[in-house]
């Protein structure tokens, strides 16, 4: 199996982008990545698109064809695949694209992720996010997306002593990082007090414990490792991927304070890459809620189970601390156009490993990790990247 | 929710019909065709059972932000309850002050309105939890 | 062989509101209204409760007392109410499904103001006496509404009671039943109207009292009894005054009527009213006790029952599950705003 490298990246501004339609967003990110990779239309062998729910947000299915059409590559008649997987969809798309290259079927594949969430009102958008939960046995009984994560947070507080202040510390850190990211939806720092006083969404989570509704898109160009240097001097290699699923409903999970899908996906990725958590200095994890980041740093074995809140509070996951988590601002501050997430996280890691992250650069980063969740944790995808030699 | 979809699950929503694996005694709710614990060994070896409706609260959250269907209930308590048979279920806790809900609290099921498809649509009924008698 | 009660169950929601709280909103001395009606509080259903949910709770409570009764032997279920959640689609089938009776059974919903439940008792008696079915279930339940500011707002409340009727095993035999029915328009609600209308003082003498007293006298005659022969008396209770006046007029003593007079704590539960009162009596009655029960439904009619408690009452578990006593006592008081929200009296945005 061949190695896979990232030779180009692109992303749009993330936020409430009233002037941009879904098609404009997706194309903008894709074209930036292609231009950055300095490849021509004829070089592209396939397109993979991660999108959570264009069908519900903008009534549009068959998104793959839409993207292939509007990307200006229509005369290439490219095979295009739309990948669905809740919030993990574009991380899965990266994996699918990488497998197509590793197996020798394709040489160069563009992977994009996009979501347009603000054409519908807030209440409806939240209901659409809820569609990744168990419709028959969770949402019909009143379980909201935030409510399910809140219940995991409550149990985490009960079992491990995690506090609301520790949850808040995640948001404060990510907003601080976001203030250094010109593409982030929120570029203002916040305080612990702001988070604690915010209107309650589902206790113990308040408005500032939750990632926003956003529009945005990101894209990467993947290339077989043996050809990457034809296009770039700084190829970043995808050295390992782990993809795992777990029970759909939170109540069926083995341990309410652990996402087994993350644990297993992480182990698979590290095993494939021949690396361990200690090798990772920069990571983009799925902080759709503050509790999610706390659980992620534990489940990825950056800190012991139950210590995620304490570690965050003590600054262990701050920029250039022991491990820099969510230097982009995370989903919380950078924004959370769901379908774009996995690819956007990869874009940030690639930037970090290339040394192009400016004010939020992690010094000496050689191995980076992305972690993306689907639904309430029924899917987890972990990618490990490293500087190519 | 489409009519047939809701109607199909009535035995489980009204009467907590679950499945029990005759191979390993694992109880699953809703009922499954394949046991979540022993997989293939369970095929053709599962029976329907009814949960007693009694259990204890494992975790909960007071929900303030809720979709339209639950507007009248806000803020309501959402909980995961571990039933005495071992399986866990998710629903609301009613008939007590939200602040009284605690992890470990004993509860029993109650038959309540879950929602309706607007003023003219079908009404959905099912289980919620209340403090055990 | 006689028909009678095999088991019984009741349900009253947890919420209450006082006449004083209601009166304050409408510029009326609510406390005085309450005293005038002899009502201290009325029950209010939660936003996720309705006639169907309460009927299911009452039916399940009945079956829980008598685990020897197989739901599949309940061959008929009738739910009487004037606030069925559907105008078309019977409450009875949902109750049947929720107690796992059927599908080999018959069902229908009844309406006759506050006597829809007692009418169901008479029907199920007929079905079991004729051996059409082993058991029938008669449910009376309501989430009745009083128009905002109207006198009925102080009393219209929510509750349910379910009786399994059969021949064997009986906890109480219904030795006689007789009814008195005329076309008397004292209280009504046209299709599509949110609130009922009534004839004011016309609801007294020509309506409630004429039918209750006439039916009672017919019952005494048929049974060959007089008030002293009974341990308990219970009447339809639209407020705490009418039934006491009717009872005294007939010659009953207040002590005989005390146990069944729940209206003072829970208000008028309409189709459930006399049945819930009867449940309170059955909760404490002893074998051999005799009960005189005469209901009333506007429109108008009265169903009367002469009941004798049997030894069988000790064979069921009257303490099981949520007792009526506990439901009457374990309450939460609401302010008018929350009450109005729960009762759908606030106009919400459509769509």
């Amino acid at each position: 199996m061949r190695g896979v490298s990232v030779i180009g990246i692109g992303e749009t501004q993330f936020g409430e982008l009233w002037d941009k339609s879904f098609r404009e967003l997706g194309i903008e990110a894709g074209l930036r990545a292609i231009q950055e990779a300095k490849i021509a239309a004829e070089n592209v062998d396939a397109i993979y698109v991660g999108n959570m729910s264009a069908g519900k947000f903008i009534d549009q299915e068959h998104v793959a064809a839409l993207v292939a059409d509007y990307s200006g590559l229509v005369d290439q008649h490219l095979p295009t695949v739309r990948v669905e997987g809740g919030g993990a969809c574009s991380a899965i798309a990266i994996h699918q694209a990488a497998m197509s290259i590793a197996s020798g079927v394709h040489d160069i594949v563009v992977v994009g992720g996009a979501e347009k969430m603000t054409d519908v009102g807030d209440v409806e958008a939240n209901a659409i996010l809820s569609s990744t939960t168990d419709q028959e046995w969770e949402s019909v009984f009143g379980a909201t997306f935030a409510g399910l994560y809140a219940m995991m947070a409550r149990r985490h507080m009960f079992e491990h002593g995690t506090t609301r202040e520790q949850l808040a510390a995640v948001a404060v850190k990510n907003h601080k990082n976001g203030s250094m990211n010109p593409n982030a939806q929120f570029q203002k720092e916040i305080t612990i007090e702001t988070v604690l006083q915010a209107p309650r969404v589902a206790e113990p989570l308040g408005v500032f414990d939750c990632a926003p509704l956003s529009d945005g898109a990101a894209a990467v160009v993947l290339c077989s490792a043996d050809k990457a240097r034809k296009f770039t001097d700084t190829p970043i290699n995808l050295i390992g991927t782990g993809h795992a699923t777990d029970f759909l409903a939170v109540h069926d999970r083995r341990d309410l304070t652990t996402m087994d899908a993350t644990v297993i996906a992480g182990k698979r990725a590290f095993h494939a890459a021949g690396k361990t958590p200690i090798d990772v200095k920069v990571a983009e994890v799925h902080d759709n809620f503050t509790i999610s980041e706390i659980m992620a740093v534990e489940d990825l074995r950056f800190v012991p189970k139950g210590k995620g809140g304490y570690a965050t509070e003590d600054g262990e996951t701050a920029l250039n601390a022991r491990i820099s988590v969510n230097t982009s601002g995370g989903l919380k501050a950078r924004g959370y156009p769901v379908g774009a997430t996995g690819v956007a996280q990869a874009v940030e890691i690639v930037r970090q490993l290339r040394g192009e992250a400016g004010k939020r650069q992690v010094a000496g980063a050689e191995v980076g990790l992305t972690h993306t969740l689907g639904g309430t944790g029924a899917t987890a995808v972990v990618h490990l990247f490293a500087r190519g030699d | 929710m489409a009519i047939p979809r809701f109607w199909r699950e009535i035995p489980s929503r009204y009467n907590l019909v679950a499945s029990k694996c005759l191979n390993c005694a694992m109880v699953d709710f809703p009922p499954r065709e394949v046991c979540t614990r022993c997989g293939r060994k369970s095929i053709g070896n599962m029976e329907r059972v009814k949960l007693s409706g009694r259990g204890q609260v494992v975790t909960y959250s007071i929900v303030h932000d809720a979709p339209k269907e639950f507007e009248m209930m806000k803020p309501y308590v959402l909980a995961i309850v571990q039933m005495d048979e071992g399986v866990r279920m998710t629903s609301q806790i009613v008939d007590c002050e939200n602040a009284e809900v605690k992890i470990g609290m004993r509860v029993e099921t109650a038959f309540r309105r879950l929602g309706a498809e607007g003023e003219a649509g079908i009404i959905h009924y099912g289980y919620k939890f209340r403090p055990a008698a | 062989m006689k028909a009678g009660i095999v088991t019984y169950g009741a349900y009253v929601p947890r919420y209450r509101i006082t006449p004083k709280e209601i009166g304050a909103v409408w510029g009326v001395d609510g406390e005085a209204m309450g005293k005038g009606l002899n009502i201290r509080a009325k029950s209010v259903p939660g936003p996720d409760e309705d006639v169907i949910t309460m009927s299911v709770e009452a039916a399940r409570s009945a079956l829980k007392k008598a685990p020897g009764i197989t739901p599949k032997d309940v061959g008929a279920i009738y739910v009487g109410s004037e606030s069925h959640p559907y105008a078309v689609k019977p409450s009875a089938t949902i109750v049947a499904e929720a107690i796992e009776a059927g599908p080999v059974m018959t069902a229908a919903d009844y309406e006759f103001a506050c006597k829809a439940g007692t009418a169901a008792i008479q029907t199920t008696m007929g079905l079991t006496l004729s051996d059409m079915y082993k058991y029938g279930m008669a449910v009376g339940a309501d989430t009745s509404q009083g128009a905002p500011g109207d006198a009925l707002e102080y009393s219209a409340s929510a509750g349910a009671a379910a009786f399994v009727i059969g021949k064997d095993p009986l906890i109480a035999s219904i030795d006689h039943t007789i009814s008195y029915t005329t076309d008397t328009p004292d209280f009504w609600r046209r299709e599509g109207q949110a609130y009922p209308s009534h004839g004011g003082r016309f609801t007294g003498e020509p309506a409630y009292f004429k039918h209750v007293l006439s039916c009672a006298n017919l019952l005494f005659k048929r049974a060959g009894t007089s008030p002293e022969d009974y341990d308990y008396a219970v009447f339809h209770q639209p407020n705490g005054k009418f039934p006491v006046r009717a009872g005294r007029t007939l010659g009953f003593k207040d002590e005989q009527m005390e146990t069944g007079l729940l209206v003072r704590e829970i208000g008028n539960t309409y189709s459930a009213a006399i049945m819930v009162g009867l449940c309170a009596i059955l909760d404490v009655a002893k074998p051999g006790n005799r009960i005189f029960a005469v209901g009333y439904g506007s429109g108008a009619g009265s169903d009367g029952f002469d009941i004798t408690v049997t030894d069988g009452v000790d064979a069921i578990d009257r303490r099981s599950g949520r007792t009526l006593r506990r439901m009457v006592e374990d309450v939460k008081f609401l302010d008018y705003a929350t009450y109005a929200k729960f009762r759908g009296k606030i106009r919400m945005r459509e769509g």
Side-chain angles (χ1 to χ4, degrees), chain C residues 72-147:
Chain C
K72 298 287 182 212
D73 285 339
V74 176
I77 298 184
Y78 299 98
V79 176
S81 178
E82 58 181 88
S83 49
H84 288 288
Y86 293 96
V88 177
K89 178 165 164 40
S91 305
T93 57
I94 299 174
V95 173
E97 198 72 52
I99 61 168
E100 292 184 299
V104 183
M105 59 167 282
T106 183
D109 281 358
Y110 275 11
E111 185 279 312
F112 193 146
C114 302
K115 65 153 232 135
T118 53
I121 292 176
Q122 290 178 321
T123 304
T124 48
M125 284 173 69
L127 291 175
T128 57
L129 281 168
S130 62
D131 287 327
M132 265 180 74
Y133 295 107
K134 186 164 187 204
Y135 300 124
M137 180 180 272
V139 182
D142 257 302
T143 54
S144 44
Q145 285 273 30

Side-chain angles (χ1 to χ4, degrees), chain C residues 62-243:
Chain C
L63 292 172
K64 199 166 163 140
K65 289 184 174 76
I69 305 300
T70 317
K72 298 287 182 212
D73 285 339
V74 176
I77 298 184
Y78 299 98
V79 176
S81 178
E82 58 181 88
S83 49
H84 288 288
Y86 293 96
V88 177
K89 178 165 164 40
S91 305
T93 57
I94 299 174
V95 173
E97 198 72 52
I99 61 168
E100 292 184 299
V104 183
M105 59 167 282
T106 183
D109 281 358
Y110 275 11
E111 185 279 312
F112 193 146
C114 302
K115 65 153 232 135
T118 53
I121 292 176
Q122 290 178 321
T123 304
T124 48
M125 284 173 69
L127 291 175
T128 57
L129 281 168
S130 62
D131 287 327
M132 265 180 74
Y133 295 107
K134 186 164 187 204
Y135 300 124
M137 180 180 272
V139 182
D142 257 302
T143 54
S144 44
Q145 285 273 30
D150 181 75
L152 289 178
E153 198 181 19
Y154 297 87
S155 58
S157 68
F163 285 74
V164 175
I165 303 295
K167 289 197 288 190
D168 171 57
L170 294 182
I171 65 167
S173 61
I174 301 177
D175 301 318
H176 303 280
T177 182
I178 193 159
S179 298
Y180 183 88
T181 310
T182 70
D183 178 0
T184 304
D186 59 314
F187 166 101
W188 67 95
R189 182 169 64 81
R190 292 288 298 278
E191 182 76 61
Q193 293 294 302
Y195 302 111
S197 309
H198 57 89
R201 289 190 58 79
F202 183 75
T203 62
E205 287 295 336
Y208 179 92
F209 290 99
K210 175 168 165 194
H211 294 76
V212 169
L213 297 176
S214 301
C215 182
N217 285 318
L218 284 170
L219 188 58
F220 280 134
K221 207 156 161 193
R222 173 160 292 189
T225 54
S226 41
E228 312 81 67
D229 295 320
Y230 296 95
D231 300 284
Y232 298 96
V234 61
F235 302 96
H236 172 52
Q237 30 200 283
N239 52 58
K241 288 283 172 75
F242 276 22

Side-chain angles (χ1 to χ4, degrees), chain A residues 123 126-127 135-144 146-148 150-155 158 200-204 247 250-256, chain B residues 1 5-6 9 12-13 29-30 32 36 58-68 70 76 78-80 87-92 103 114 126-127:
Chain A
V123 175
N126 280 310
Q135 293 304 292
E136 307 294 346
W137 307 102
E138 289 182 313
S139 56
V140 74
F141 290 93
T144 60
L148 291 165
M151 287 199 288
M152 289 192 267
R154 166 90 57 206
R155 188 74 200 183
F158 178 79
R200 294 163 296 178
V201 172
E203 295 179 35
F247 289 101
V250 174
H251 60 241
D252 282 329
R253 309 265 171 85
R254 182 192 57 87
D255 170 9
L256 294 173
Chain B
M1 184 181 287
R5 251 181 78 203
F6 195 88
E9 307 301 339
S12 292
R13 292 204 210 283
F29 181 86
R32 291 192 182 231
T36 51
V58 169
T59 183
Y60 65 95
S61 172
I62 300 174
V63 177
H64 294 265
D65 234 16
K68 195 157 188 284
F70 305 109
Y76 57 87
L78 176 70
I80 292 179
V87 69
R88 290 178 174 165
M89 294 165 52
T90 299
S91 191
Q92 298 166 37
I103 291 178
L114 296 178
Y127 50 83

